[in-house]
Amino acid sequence: MSTFACGGGSSMGYKRAGCEIVAANDIDPEMAYHYKLNLKPRRYYLCPIRDLITIDLPDELFNLDILDGSPPCSTFSMAGSREKSWGKDKHFKEGQSKQILSDLFFDYLDLVERLKPKVAIAENVKGMILGNAKGYTKMVMQRFKEIGYSPQLFLVNAADCGVPQRRERVFFCALRNDIAKPLLKLAPKHQWISAGEATADLQILSTGERREIGMANMERDFWSVTKKGDNFMKACKLKTGRDSWFSSVRVNDSLPAITLTANHNNFKHWDNPRRLTFREWKRLGSFPDDYEAKTNKIGKYMIGMSVPPKMIEVVARAVIDQWLTPPLKPMEV
């Protein structure tokens, strides 16, 4: 199955599902470096996705099985500024050109209209189906219909896909209208894998890891009076009288980890007063053990920014099994 992945770390999931990654795109040079290092795609387009709407592209990209897109999600995250960011230029990461993040989904849809893949898949945060963002989601669904696709919307928990992380994400799965297939069924029910189970064989640390994962004295104090699964806010209030440290968490090893974010320093070990290692992050994010990064810090950041590969694999396998096999038959009109 030929796949073009635009943004995010989704290609590993598609490769696990048996897809061939014919091209990839992202605006972040750091992402591009690691993408090429670990996945070696045939083509890589380091540019804003809107550039792909007008530049010359090879014929191969006009005969895709799947076009995947994961526009940056901070605009819709419940932890972000949400409505205040809609329609405004924003640097997604230092060193990149400014983009209107709330428009990127429609840039992706313009690319879908140009390339006309059999299936279009897009992922974003749960915040897209909450509050005022529901109106934006309705516009996305309507745009899919205008360009000749039948979209479906799913809320999926990564833990239900076999990822040791409770990360809820919204998936748009859209089938081209000339292809006759039943509605997609996507309701994974994998047995949950706990953080402790996933990392049980990684608890003997190297000298380099021990140097990297230490905590400051105040953090150690907060950790010592915080229950597994709780954040440090109560401990901070108890010891300092301030309401702070709510983002720092002592991970519960009996459950899948909570959603890992780009701020890797916020996640503390369950049994020992330390931060999590890069090896532990890879397991909790369902990244392969041999995934390489320039530094452990950058690797953790990328995992926190990415869709777990195992989660993408589950979605991709459902789409392939139900929509792309057996051989497609044009809809009779």
Side-chain angles (χ1 to χ4, degrees):
M1 299 295 166
S2 59
T3 302
F4 185 178
C6 299
S10 58
S11 290
M12 280 180 288
Y14 285 107
K15 290 191 75 169
R16 289 172 58 148
C19 297
E20 179 187 10
I21 309 302
V22 297
N25 158 253
D26 202 286
I27 193 175
D28 186 348
E30 201 71 75
M31 287 285 187
Y33 170 84
H34 289 87
Y35 208 115
K36 294 174 184 177
L37 175 66
N38 290 282
L39 293 165
K40 301 175 175 60
R42 293 216 302 268
R43 298 181 181 86
Y44 196 98
Y45 297 93
L46 179 61
C47 64
I49 190 172
R50 61 178 173 268
D51 289 0
L52 300 175
I53 300 166
T54 56
I55 65 173
D56 289 336
L57 295 172
D59 292 343
E60 182 179 30
L61 299 187
F62 291 86
N63 190 32
L64 294 168
D65 291 303
I66 299 172
L67 176 60
D68 171 89
S70 298
C73 58
S74 59
T75 299
F76 302 104
S77 172
M78 297 306 293
S81 54
R82 279 177 64 86
E83 288 89 341
K84 293 180 181 179
S85 299
W86 295 355
K88 295 182 180 179
D89 282 344
K90 183 177 180 181
H91 280 295
F92 178 53
K93 190 170 180 286
E94 186 176 358
Q96 298 174 2
S97 60
K98 285 187 177 180
Q99 302 178 97
I100 300 177
L101 299 190
S102 54
D103 285 354
L104 291 181
F105 219 118
F106 293 98
D107 291 341
Y108 163 73
L109 290 171
D110 287 344
L111 184 62
V112 173
E113 183 179 27
R114 182 188 183 191
L115 299 183
K116 294 181 172 55
K118 297 179 180 73
V119 176
I121 300 175
E123 170 273 340
N124 218 286
V125 293
K126 183 180 179 180
M128 278 199 73
I129 57 174
L130 300 175
N132 292 337
K134 288 189 286 188
Y136 182 95
T137 299
K138 289 180 180 178
M139 290 191 292
V140 169
M141 297 289 279
Q142 181 59 38
R143 180 63 178 146
F144 266 121
K145 295 173 183 178
E146 291 172 356
I147 62 177
Y149 286 80
S150 298
Q152 291 178 248
L153 188 63
F154 301 93
L155 178 64
V156 181
N157 190 329
D160 292 329
C161 300
V163 181
Q165 183 185 160
R166 288 166 286 156
R167 190 184 193 109
E168 288 186 303
R169 287 296 181 267
V170 168
F171 283 87
F172 296 81
C173 299
L175 182 67
R176 208 172 61 203
N177 284 343
D178 65 322
I179 299 169
K181 290 287 181 179
L183 290 175
L184 183 69
K185 296 178 181 179
L186 182 59
K189 295 296 179 184
H190 195 287
Q191 182 176 344
W192 279 16
I193 301 171
S194 71
E197 180 184 356
T199 61
D201 61 328
L202 305 179
Q203 298 310 302
I204 298 177
L205 307 186
S206 69
T207 301
E209 285 175 328
R210 287 194 292 270
R211 284 198 299 264
E212 288 186 346
I213 46 74
M215 297 193 302
N217 289 337
M218 180 179 290
E219 289 180 285
R220 296 171 69 92
D221 288 345
F222 293 165
W223 180 92
S224 67
V225 295
T226 298
K227 295 179 181 179
K228 294 179 181 181
D230 286 353
N231 63 34
F232 284 10
M233 185 171 65
K234 290 181 180 178
C236 179
K237 184 72 172 180
L238 176 67
K239 289 182 173 291
T240 70
R242 294 184 292 112
D243 292 318
S244 186
W245 289 83
F246 55 85
S247 295
S248 289
V249 177
R250 182 174 177 179
V251 177
N252 188 342
D253 59 327
S254 298
L255 292 171
I258 62 170
T259 299
L260 299 178
T261 68
N263 193 342
H264 59 87
N265 288 331
N266 285 339
F267 302 90
K268 322 298 184 183
H269 196 267
W270 38 93
D271 286 335
N272 300 296
R274 64 171 177 83
R275 300 185 176 104
L276 301 180
T277 67
F278 182 35
R279 289 190 296 150
E280 290 168 333
W281 269 74
K282 286 189 280 189
R283 290 284 180 86
L284 298 180
S286 75
F287 276 59
D289 285 351
D290 61 357
Y291 184 83
E292 297 181 65
K294 282 183 181 178
T295 67
N296 290 345
K297 180 179 179 180
I298 292 174
K300 293 176 187 179
Y301 168 84
M302 294 181 65
I303 292 171
M305 292 293 292
S306 298
V307 191
K310 180 63 177 175
M311 189 182 203
I312 288 289
E313 178 188 2
V314 168
V315 175
R317 287 189 183 278
V319 166
I320 292 167
D321 292 345
Q322 298 175 47
W323 281 355
L324 297 177
T325 55
L328 295 163
K329 296 180 180 179
M331 182 181 294
E332 294 182 3
V333 294

